[in-house]
Amino acid sequence: MSAVPAPAPARDRDRRTEVRRLIDSMEHAKVISDGHFSALGMLITDASLSADEPALVECQDGLQWLHRHYLDVNALDGPQREQRGRILGLIDVVHWALKRLPSGLQLALQPDGHAARFLLAVYRRQGLSNKELAAELRTDETEISRVGRRLLSAGVVWRRKEWRHNAWDLTPRGHQYLETSGLLTEDLAEDEPSGRAARRAGPARSAAEPAPRSPDAVPQRQDVGLPDMDHPSPSPSPEPPPRSAHG
């Protein structure tokens, strides 16, 4: 049984290089060990979570190359059939990992839509709850749950439980999507002084429209004001009596 070669120092390699080195070792091994499959499985998982497309493509090509070795064998023994099955299983995993990348999902979020604003809010502050996101996006928690499920299925956010509330975090895939989609650039532009002031001020209100008040606000006293004794206002002239119908 061939031993798995010791990994190279992190500073001398990247994930794609590590995948290639591991698959080369598997190709030349007489029997592919459990250690080989475990190491490759961890690399696939890390590459998927980090949206490392080059490493996943390298892994897919290498596994397909390994599988070709079993096509020319007329009769596979038990260990060989098991190895072929595990290789085919990893090919399927890598295939779906590539499909789940932001580029494969073809996410096209509108900058002003709830989904894009959801991602940006979680980017600015990790661990926001449904209630806090609803306040940030000026919508209700039902809409937040719906949008959150969509982003969760795309793999760009994580959801965890904090006591009785959901807490949302951005995944490495979510970070990559924000950077490649241009949403992060637009968000930074809005954070400039003029954009930030306009965003905090909200939509402009007409002079006749009263300002919104919190339901918990304490009613303010209305200052009626005292008459100016130095400049008293003239008394209103009495209204003339109504004229008789006969003149």
Side-chain angles (χ1 to χ4, degrees), residues 24-228:
D24 286 344
S25 174
M26 295 169 72
E27 182 182 3
H28 294 95
K30 293 182 179 180
V31 177
I32 302 176
S33 67
D34 289 341
H36 283 105
F37 284 112
S38 297
L40 190 57
M42 286 187 289
L43 282 171
I44 293 171
T45 302
D46 291 343
S48 178
L49 291 174
S50 302
D52 190 344
E53 187 171 0
L56 290 172
V57 171
E58 182 72 34
C59 190
Q60 185 181 53
D61 293 344
L63 286 169
Q64 289 173 346
W65 176 257
L66 283 179
H67 182 254
R68 291 190 185 99
H69 293 302
Y70 296 90
L71 299 179
D72 299 331
V73 179
N74 294 326
L76 299 177
D77 57 20
Q80 288 175 326
R81 287 196 298 270
E82 180 181 353
Q83 290 177 24
R84 184 185 64 177
R86 295 180 77 170
I87 289 172
L88 286 172
L90 288 177
I91 290 174
D92 284 343
V93 171
V94 175
H95 169 77
W96 286 110
L98 285 167
K99 289 290 187 182
R100 301 288 289 178
L101 291 176
S103 57
L105 288 167
Q106 296 181 348
L107 285 175
L109 305 182
Q110 296 297 325
D112 296 333
H114 284 165
R117 293 171 59 202
F118 186 117
L119 275 182
L120 289 171
V122 176
Y123 167 78
R124 290 191 294 264
R125 180 183 165 196
Q126 299 278 332
L128 286 173
S129 66
N130 284 19
K131 184 177 181 180
E132 291 168 329
L133 280 167
E136 176 81 12
L137 273 61
R138 298 183 181 179
T139 185
D140 53 42
E141 294 187 45
T142 302
E143 175 68 4
I144 293 298
S145 296
R146 185 189 68 81
V147 174
R149 285 194 299 270
R150 177 190 174 192
L151 297 176
L152 190 65
S153 66
V156 292
V157 294
W158 277 322
R159 180 179 60 192
R160 52 188 169 84
K161 277 288 186 180
E162 284 190 355
W163 188 235
R164 297 181 180 179
H165 306 288
N166 288 335
W168 296 92
D169 298 314
L170 204 63
T171 65
R173 187 178 299 170
H175 276 281
Q176 189 203 44
Y177 177 75
L178 286 177
E179 292 172 357
T180 57
S181 64
L183 290 175
L184 199 56
T185 305
E186 294 179 8
D187 181 62
L188 292 175
E190 288 185 3
D191 280 337
E192 295 297 326
S194 58
R196 183 168 56 246
R199 184 173 57 189
R200 288 180 178 174
R205 294 190 302 268
S206 63
E209 182 182 355
R213 297 176 64 250
S214 167
D216 299 326
V218 178
Q220 297 181 354
R221 291 184 57 188
Q222 300 293 331
D223 293 332
V224 177
L226 296 177
D228 189 350

Side-chain angles (χ1 to χ4, degrees), residues 4-5 17-27 35-36 39-41 43:
V4 180
T17 303
E18 184 67 10
V19 167
R20 185 185 302 116
R21 186 189 66 85
L22 183 56
I23 289 182
D24 286 344
S25 174
M26 295 169 72
E27 182 182 3
H36 283 105
L40 190 57
L43 282 171

